């Protein structure tokens, strides 16, 4: 009785408590909804790369990825129960039955996008005859694959000069040849580009490995990749593991799928049966689709083929700064939906055309009006090898000094002023060592690919400042084949500097006999989803090589001396 009287006397106090609680809960919900969204544009931009994912430990002794193994895993799923529903065989049969009711038949594509290049074979192709241990690009083979390939295709092999010759650049090239006549950077117009590249790359001091991997015992290709990361290059293309890694990313069974949190657009983290992980970016459009003219660079869709092409271009330029990336065709039902958690699985649906689609949840283009669809069930995408987990190899994220404004209304400092380079040159870490020239290499790379979205870059902390820059996230490259992004090359134009080894490669690509487009076409031919780039983008590469040389030339024309512009820092 006492309580009741007490409560009656204190009713105002209780009411007050209730109102306060309601207000607080509402405020929390409100902040939760709006708070992060205001900062979204900034935060997303910083969070783009596949960085902070802790490697999820899967049970290694699981051993096999057969259906039975899945069922075992489902029962003792350490990650929470909801996965079980989607793994459940009965359910997935029911789903297939539903699909059948909708007229779906795996072997009978009902309505295939006319632009979609439908394929019959999804296996990894070797450029050579079935020899796993050979290098991915056979540079110096007696029987010259490349020549054969070019001849088969009826193409001619000439440098960028063939279609994009510039008279002053021709003169500049002659000067270059005479200056470096007897050096390793000499450009011999007869020999192949890949021989030239190999000669320059052989000058590279590899440097030490990541500290945590010094005594690593490796079995899987992705483990070797991690342990072979060196101070001056992410990988060595002449080692067999690179090819095995690319092959594994295509052939190994998918055992887990997660959506990568935090990015602007949908990306999936795919775990394969060897425990290796890759970042999967799905195909959204046919290759011919260009960036929409009214889309800003930060709103552009990501292109899976740009990721693949960027890897090959980086390798052909001898940078070795882009993680190995390869195309793969996955079964949306078997490889993605079945392994998704509840939240992701809810976004899968069957489109009116009978295609398997999903949209995931993210901040741009993750809704049913921007679905990602199989044709009708197989979906193409890019698989980029994960870097070592941050617990084992910390990375440092640096703001790109030539970052864009990421605003519809503002321009960045360097877009209005030409003196950013003079300021940057004085500041650590750009005042010593290789860093500034690496930024310029990155600008060359982004100019060639047409990537405006380079807000940050990363390095491995173990190697301190004297190390290469990772060129991650190239999904917004190769968007406009008719347009050359002159502002992308602003660092080179404003500093009026370029690394000798890089310039030497560009001069070689200009002079021929091989053109960058031919080399790219050949290199990407090994990819399971080849052709990666449509012809107009390949031609753009040659055109941009000529333009790059013209830019260097205009620095010299402005009265700068040869040695001020062309810097030999010994880095290749
Ligand atoms: C891994 O799987 C094996 C066999 O399926 C089981 O015996 C073992 O307990 C599992 N280990 C963990 C950590 O779940
Ligand atoms: C994997 O599965 C196959 C067939 O399902 C079986 O023959 C093989 O022994 C399994 N391997 C392991 C390591 O369990
Ligand atoms: C598919 O691949 C297999 C084995 O690699 C090969 O024998 C077959 O000819 C290929 N089919 C096509 C259509 O390329
Ligand atoms: C020159 O351009 C034509 C037409 O665009 C193209 O077919 C040819 O392959 C190009 N040549 C070289 C060497 O790139
Ligand atoms: C995709 O996976 C489903 C099972 O989930 C299977 O029935 C179908 O045949 C597969 N499709 C292809 C083209 O492999
Ligand atoms: C590397 O650069 C950072 C940032 O400018 C600087 O603080 C640090 O001292 C540099 N490290 C070395 C070893 O010079």
């Amino acid at each position: 009785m006492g309580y009741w009287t007490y409560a009656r006397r204190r009713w105002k106090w209780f009411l007050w408590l209730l109102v306060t609680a309601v207000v607080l809960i509402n405020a929390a919900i409100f902040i939760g909804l709006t708070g992060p969204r205001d900062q979204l544009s900034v935060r997303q931009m910083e969070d783009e790369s596949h960085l902070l994912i802790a490697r999820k430990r899967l049970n290694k002794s699981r051993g096999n990825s057969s259906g039975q193994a899945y069922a075992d895993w489902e029962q003792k799923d350490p990650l929470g129960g909801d996965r079980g529903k989607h793994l459940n065989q009965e359910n997935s049969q029911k789903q297939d039955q539903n699909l059948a009711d909708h007229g779906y038949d795996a072997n009978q594509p009902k309505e295939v996008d006319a632009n979609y290049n439908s394929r019959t074979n999804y296996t990894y192709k070797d450029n050579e005859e079935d020899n796993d241990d050979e290098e991915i690009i056979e540079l110096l083979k007696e029987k010259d694959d490349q020549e054969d390939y070019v001849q088969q295709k009826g193409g001619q092999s000439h440098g960028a000069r063939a279609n994009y010759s510039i008279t002053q650049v021709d003169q500049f090239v002659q000067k270059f040849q005479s200056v470096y006549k007897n050096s390793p950077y000499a450009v011999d117009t007869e020999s192949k580009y890949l021989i030239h590249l190999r000669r320059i790359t052989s000058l590279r001091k590899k440097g030490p490995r990541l500290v945590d991997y010094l005594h690593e015992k490796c079995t899987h290709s992705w483990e070797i990749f991690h342990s072979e990361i060196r101070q001056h290059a992410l990988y060595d293309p002449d080692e067999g593991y690179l090819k095995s890694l690319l092959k594994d990313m295509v052939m190994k069974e998918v055992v887990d799928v997660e959506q990568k949190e935090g990015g602007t657009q949908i990306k999936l983290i795919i775990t394969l049966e060897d425990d290796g992980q890759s970042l999967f970016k799905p195909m959204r459009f046919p290759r011919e689709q260009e960036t929409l003219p009214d889309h800003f660079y930060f709103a552009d869709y990501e292109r899976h083929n740009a990721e693949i092409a960027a890897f090959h271009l980086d390798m052909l330029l001898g940078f070795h700064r882009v993680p190995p990336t390869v195309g793969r065709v996955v079964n949306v039902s078997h490889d993605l939906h079945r392994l998704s958690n509840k939240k992701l699985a809810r976004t899968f649906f069957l489109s009116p055309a009978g295609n398997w689609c999903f949209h995931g949840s993210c901040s741009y283009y993750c809704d049913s009006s921007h679905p990602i669809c199989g044709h009708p069930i197989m979906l193409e995408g890019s698989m980029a090898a994960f870097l070592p987990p941050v617990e084992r190899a910390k990375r440092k994220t640096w703001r790109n000094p030539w970052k864009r404004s990421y605003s519809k209304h503002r321009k960045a400092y360097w877009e209005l002023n030409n003196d950013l380079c003079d300021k940057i040159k004085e500041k650590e870490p750009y005042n010593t060592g290789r860093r500034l020239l690496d930024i310029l290499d990155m600008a060359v790379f982004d100019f060639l690919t047409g990537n405006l979205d380079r807000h940050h870059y990363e390095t491995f902390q173990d190697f301190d400042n004297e190390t290469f820059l990772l060129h991650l996230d190239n999904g917004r490259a190769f968007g406009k084949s008719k347009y050359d992004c002159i502002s992308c090359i602003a660092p080179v134009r404003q500093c009026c500097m370029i690394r000798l080894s890089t310039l030497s490669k560009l001069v070689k690509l200009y002079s021929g006999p091989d053109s960058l487009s031919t080399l790219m076409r050949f290199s990407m031919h090994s990819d399971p989803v080849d052709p990666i780039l449509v012809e107009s983008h390949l031609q753009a590469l040659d055109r941009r090589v000529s333009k790059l040389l013209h830019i260097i030339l205009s620095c010299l024309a402005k009265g700068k001396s040869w040695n001020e512009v062309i810097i030999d820092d010994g880095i290749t």
Side-chain angles (χ1 to χ4, degrees), residues 118-130:
S118 62
R119 296 156 205 285
T120 47
N121 253 352
Y122 303 120
T123 55
Y124 186 80
K125 280 176 283 175
D126 293 336
N127 273 341
E128 308 87 22
E129 303 82 49
D130 297 327

Side-chain angles (χ1 to χ4, degrees), residues 173-309:
V173 167
Q174 277 175 9
K175 172 100 192 278
F176 186 93
Q177 277 161 340
S178 67
V179 172
Y180 299 103
K181 200 178 246 151
N182 294 315
S183 85
Y185 301 106
V187 170
D188 154 19
T189 46
E190 301 298 311
S191 70
K192 305 217 133 298
Y193 173 77
L194 294 179
I195 293 175
H196 181 77
L197 178 66
R198 170 166 279 202
R199 185 174 65 231
I200 293 182
T201 310
S202 69
L203 302 173
R204 178 181 292 160
K205 298 183 291 284
K206 283 178 156 189
R209 295 163 206 256
L210 292 164
V211 175
D212 205 34
Y213 286 86
L214 289 178
H215 306 290
E216 185 84 346
K217 265 202 256 136
C218 305
T219 45
H220 300 299
S221 57
W222 62 268
E223 292 172 315
I224 304 174
F225 163 55
H226 288 176
S227 75
E228 281 295 327
I229 293 173
R230 302 299 187 101
Q231 181 182 0
H232 291 294
L234 182 60
Y235 61 88
D236 181 345
D238 292 346
E239 297 289 340
Y241 72 83
L242 177 65
K243 190 170 162 187
S244 315
L245 176 62
L246 293 174
K247 201 166 187 168
D248 287 347
M249 285 197 285
V250 175
M251 305 299 284
K252 296 274 185 211
E253 177 108 23
V254 179
V255 301
D256 188 44
V257 174
E258 266 178 86
Q259 190 180 334
K260 170 153 174 2
E261 300 296 335
T264 50
Q265 294 183 31
I266 188 159
K267 303 184 218 2
L268 302 175
I269 299 168
I270 288 192
T271 308
L272 300 174
E273 60 187 307
D274 62 356
D275 269 359
Q277 291 188 304
S278 314
L279 193 70
F280 180 84
K281 291 194 183 177
M283 168 169 171
R284 284 178 170 270
F285 301 108
R287 309 277 198 274
E288 293 77 15
Q289 170 93 46
E290 303 237 329
T291 301
L292 300 176
D294 292 329
H295 270 196
F296 279 95
Y297 50 91
F298 48 83
D300 192 13
Y301 294 106
E302 298 210 70
R303 283 168 287 275
H304 74 300
N305 60 321
E307 295 281 358
I308 302 168

Side-chain angles (χ1 to χ4, degrees), residues 59 61-62 76:
N59 188 345
S61 60
R62 189 179 70 255
K76 29 181 141 82

Side-chain angles (χ1 to χ4, degrees), residues 62-64 66:
R62 189 179 70 255
N64 222 326
S66 64

